[in-house]
Amino acid sequence: MFLNPGPTEAAPRLSRFPVAGREHVRTARHRFRAWRGSRPFWAGLFTLTAGVPILYFPYVRLSLSGIPLALSTTAGAGALITGVLLIALGVSLWVRPQTRVFAGIAGLLLSLVSFPLANFGGLFLGLLAGLIGGSLACAWAEPAQAGAPDTDV
């Protein structure tokens, strides 16, 4: 009864969206894929994500099994500047992919500076994400044009 609907039972509807809605979602997904493929998307995402824990941990009050854990440092302003700059570099990688080398090297340096400055680089989360994002930004190459001749001989 549950696996095969009988002749009197209607088959379950697979989608809530009408066909036109599916086409809209499909075209939006294809446009996002084309946009993502034309810029260092993952480098920007990792770099942007690196700024969040660097910003978060110096200003939050944590507790470990009821024991208050203060991660506030005297260099809270340094953590704020480092985190905001990493977020700005991640967004700039999406908006201006031409700045990928500068943003990649700056992301790498800011991530390394965050280690002593901002609670071990946001408890190593921001440090690792920033190193990965900066490396991806430096390694990213623009996709070849469809009609352009191949120069790799």
Side-chain angles (χ1 to χ4, degrees):
M1 179 173 141
F2 291 111
L3 297 177
N4 292 327
T8 58
E9 297 177 11
R13 191 170 174 175
L14 297 177
S15 175
R16 294 182 186 180
F17 300 111
V19 174
R22 281 191 212 161
E23 288 298 320
H24 177 69
V25 170
R26 185 176 295 139
T27 58
R29 192 179 80 221
H30 287 299
R31 286 179 53 207
F32 176 70
R33 278 187 180 173
W35 177 82
R36 187 183 70 192
S38 66
R39 58 200 70 243
F41 176 77
W42 292 108
L45 185 67
F46 274 107
T47 306
L48 186 134
T49 306
V52 174
I54 291 172
L55 275 174
Y56 180 73
F57 288 122
Y59 296 106
V60 71
R61 300 214 185 275
L62 300 173
S63 69
L64 183 64
S65 299
I67 301 170
L69 184 65
L71 293 176
S72 300
T73 62
T74 58
L80 177 71
I81 291 170
T82 304
V84 168
L85 283 175
L86 280 169
I87 290 172
L89 287 172
V91 171
S92 75
L93 282 169
W94 288 344
V95 176
R96 304 285 295 177
Q98 299 87 359
T99 63
R100 66 178 174 80
V101 175
F102 168 75
I105 292 172
L108 285 168
L109 291 176
L110 283 171
S111 297
L112 290 173
V113 165
S114 75
F115 182 73
L117 194 63
N119 298 323
F120 300 113
L123 299 179
F124 296 104
L125 297 173
L127 174 71
L128 292 176
L131 291 177
I132 292 170
S135 300
L136 286 174
C138 290
W140 185 78
E142 291 188 37
Q145 297 295 331
D150 189 20
T151 59
D152 294 337
V153 178

